[in-house]
Amino acid sequence: MHVLKRIIHTPASLSLKPNIGALSRIYKNVCFLDSNKDLNDNRYLTRDALLAVGGHREIVIHDHKYAFPLLQSFIEQNKGWMFGYLSYDLKNAVEDLYSKHYDGTGFPVIHFFCPDTVIEINRDQHIINYDDSFVSEEEALSIYKHAWCPEQQGITTAPVIKNRITREEYINSFSNLKKHILRGDIYEINFCQEFYAENALIDPAAVYKVLHLASAAPFSAYCKLNNHYILSSSPERFLKKDNQTLISQPIKGTVRRSSDLQEDLLLKEQLFNDDKERNENVMIVDLVRNDLSKIAEKGSVKVDELFGIYSFRQVHHMISTVSCTVKADLSFTDIIRAVFPMGSMTGAPKVRAMQLIEEAESSRRGVYSGALGYIDPSGNFDLSVVIRSILYNSVNKYLSFTTGSAITAKADAEQEYEECLLKAAAMFNALSATARNHN
């Protein structure tokens, strides 16, 4: 494989947001990752946006049993850009666990592709990277031009969204999990519920655009992988590798925004001083420190920021940053196996929390609370946590999004249920708004 580069100086009038819908009608694999860097106060956001198109080479794995060795072999055989996801169900390959619940989306446990063309979208220039084994320079430039052609919106009808569990069932499960906490089986657990629609007909690119505009998330993502779509407005980074430095930024602690400036500032202050939220956050920080210590150079694990309050368009979040120097010669899958899945979406202790999650929840998480992102040609990578995301299978027309919250000894069932609804609001609104715009 030989990869060439061409630098395109961007005219001031050229939009940074490509027409992913037009590309999706032509190519089976399209991935757009947008940091909204100018709108998010996170010094670890180093790229503006990436657009990956095509993919004659891909790995699709449905069985977790040999998933990591197969993925590592694929990475070693295909040096270059790689985009895709790791499903939460890979927990079963890391620990002696299982996933028995219904999975309507039917996503594979791993799907990565090596794009034929990658466009690095920066404020002052666009850089086209293309694999000349599969596309010519002329074809790469054609893809680039097509990405900014006029948009044609497809059909979106308002899906009938159902709760996988009732409010009463949520509260009963919450109570059972809290008993485990009071007995000392676990200290914290992330309990989630699915919202879903069958026979859903949507234009994924149009829905993503509305979700993106509403959230402006630092890990906004649109991924079309064959017939599977991930429309994400994730605020959370799972893991970033920059040379020998690993960075994780777990989120624990959420409060709503207010249109009233004084009230909004008060909500931020209340979140920062909330003992329950601080306890949740520090438990997960300790878990992340422990995970990173398995692969870190001795004495290099540190907490760069504790209890940072970050503001997003719908909510404020409490985010901490943990980093380390990773041991030399560890592969991508060596690193992932040591820390996956992320503690913010499981609980502590992690294995017992995942066992109880399987007992308490009523649907398989699948890609939800897995990881999504890219590996670059130098072996660095950046992966987000798949939350605040709509998953859509365009073949069986099943649509799903899941939200959750952390349960600790001080948690209140009604408050945690309302937090789930608060997090789900952006997805509800994006689907209904897109349907209205179509009509």
Side-chain angles (χ1 to χ4, degrees):
M1 184 185 73
H2 182 49
V3 178
L4 304 178
K5 282 189 177 181
R6 182 182 176 90
I7 297 177
I8 305 293
H9 291 281
T10 307
S13 61
L14 185 57
S15 171
L16 289 169
K17 312 301 181 187
N19 182 0
I20 50 180
L23 294 171
S24 295
R25 284 186 279 274
I26 301 172
Y27 301 96
K28 70 175 184 177
N29 294 319
V30 176
C31 189
F32 177 55
L33 307 177
D34 190 353
S35 71
N36 294 289
K37 195 167 70 170
D38 55 333
L39 301 174
N40 288 292
D41 181 22
N42 186 331
R43 65 189 176 94
Y44 297 101
L45 295 175
T46 53
R47 294 187 184 276
D48 290 321
L50 290 169
L51 174 64
V53 181
H56 285 80
R57 294 161 296 127
E58 62 182 347
I59 183 167
V60 182
I61 303 175
H62 291 272
D63 189 343
H64 70 269
K65 191 172 182 181
Y66 301 108
F68 282 117
L70 289 171
L71 176 59
Q72 189 57 43
S73 177
F74 182 78
I75 292 171
E76 291 170 2
Q77 293 170 24
N78 297 279
K79 302 297 184 182
W81 289 96
M82 197 173 294
F83 291 74
Y85 68 80
L86 305 164
S87 165
Y88 173 79
D89 289 330
L90 284 169
K91 66 183 174 59
N92 305 333
V94 176
E95 303 289 349
D96 184 18
L97 300 168
Y98 61 90
S99 300
K100 69 180 187 297
H101 294 301
Y102 175 68
D103 174 21
T105 59
F107 282 49
V109 294
I110 288 177
H111 193 159
F112 273 86
F113 73 100
C114 302
D116 301 334
T117 304
V118 176
I119 304 171
E120 299 178 64
I121 304 171
N122 304 307
R123 291 301 183 271
D124 56 345
Q125 64 182 16
H126 292 180
I127 304 173
I128 301 174
N129 308 266
Y130 66 95
D131 184 342
D132 67 354
S133 302
F134 299 105
V135 295
S136 65
E137 180 178 330
E138 183 180 5
E139 289 169 323
L141 288 171
S142 177
I143 289 171
Y144 174 78
K145 291 175 183 176
H146 203 70
W148 277 270
C149 70
E151 197 158 353
Q152 293 178 326
Q153 186 170 322
I155 296 173
T156 294
T157 58
V160 179
I161 299 172
K162 304 174 185 176
N163 292 48
R164 181 62 64 184
I165 59 174
T166 65
R167 190 185 195 105
E168 291 71 27
E169 288 170 333
Y170 175 92
I171 291 172
N172 287 337
S173 294
F174 178 100
S175 298
N176 289 333
L177 291 171
K178 197 161 184 179
K179 289 176 184 176
H180 283 282
I181 294 173
L182 297 175
R183 284 203 300 261
D185 297 337
I186 51 173
Y187 307 106
E188 178 176 355
I189 189 167
N190 191 277
F191 177 45
C192 301
Q193 58 177 310
E194 181 193 20
F195 303 88
Y196 70 99
E198 298 168 305
N199 300 312
L201 182 62
I202 68 167
D203 177 349
V207 173
Y208 166 76
K209 183 178 180 181
V210 176
L211 186 64
H212 177 272
L213 289 173
S215 301
F219 300 99
S220 176
Y222 168 95
C223 279
K224 178 200 177 189
L225 300 165
N226 296 333
N227 299 306
H228 298 128
Y229 293 83
I230 304 172
L231 318 176
S232 183
S233 59
S234 175
E236 183 171 359
R237 170 179 277 124
F238 166 43
L239 197 64
K240 177 183 180 180
K241 180 176 181 287
D242 186 4
N243 297 317
Q244 294 308 113
T245 300
L246 287 179
I247 299 165
S248 184
Q249 293 185 290
I251 292 178
K252 271 290 167 274
T254 304
V255 71
R256 66 178 176 85
R257 296 293 306 267
S258 172
S259 57
D260 179 84
L261 179 59
Q262 289 303 116
E263 185 185 21
D264 198 53
L265 292 172
L266 181 61
L267 288 166
K268 285 179 67 174
E269 184 178 351
Q270 288 174 348
L271 176 60
F272 180 76
N273 292 310
D274 190 304
D275 287 341
K276 170 191 169 291
E277 304 287 23
R278 281 175 167 251
N279 288 337
E280 286 182 15
N281 196 285
V282 79
M283 285 181 194
I284 298 306
V285 166
D286 283 343
L287 191 155
V288 172
R289 290 171 64 226
N290 181 67
D291 283 349
L292 290 180
S293 69
K294 302 172 190 175
I295 50 175
E297 293 285 358
K298 188 175 180 180
S300 69
V301 178
K302 60 180 180 178
V303 179
D304 301 88
E305 182 180 29
L306 189 64
F307 308 145
I309 304 300
Y310 289 78
S311 300
F312 301 88
R313 287 188 174 173
Q314 281 97 15
V315 295
H316 301 293
H317 277 312
M318 183 181 287
I319 305 176
S320 294
T321 300
V322 187
S323 68
C324 75
T325 301
V326 68
K327 293 177 182 176
D329 302 322
L330 290 182
S331 69
F332 174 79
T333 54
D334 288 336
I335 295 169
I336 297 301
R337 284 180 67 95
V339 299
F340 192 86
M342 60 292 302
S344 63
M345 296 306 298
T346 55
K350 186 187 282 189
V351 174
R352 185 58 180 139
M354 289 190 288
Q355 291 171 340
L356 292 172
I357 284 169
E358 186 65 31
E359 293 177 16
E361 294 181 359
S362 300
S363 55
R364 188 176 300 192
R365 289 190 178 185
V367 177
Y368 172 75
S369 71
L372 169 69
Y374 69 88
I375 307 170
D376 73 15
S378 66
N380 290 326
F381 59 82
D382 203 356
L383 301 171
S384 66
V385 180
V386 183
I387 53 175
R388 321 291 160 82
S389 301
I390 296 170
L391 307 177
Y392 180 58
N393 184 324
S394 63
V395 173
N396 67 11
K397 295 181 171 54
Y398 187 91
L399 182 149
S400 171
F401 55 93
T402 302
T403 61
S405 67
I407 302 175
T408 62
K410 293 184 178 181
D412 175 80
E414 292 288 347
Q415 290 179 2
E416 299 304 318
Y417 186 83
E418 290 302 320
E419 182 174 321
C420 290
L421 296 184
L422 174 64
K423 292 172 179 176
M427 280 79 79
F428 275 108
N429 293 340
L431 290 163
S432 60
T434 310
R436 287 197 305 271
N437 292 342
H438 176 75
N439 294 330

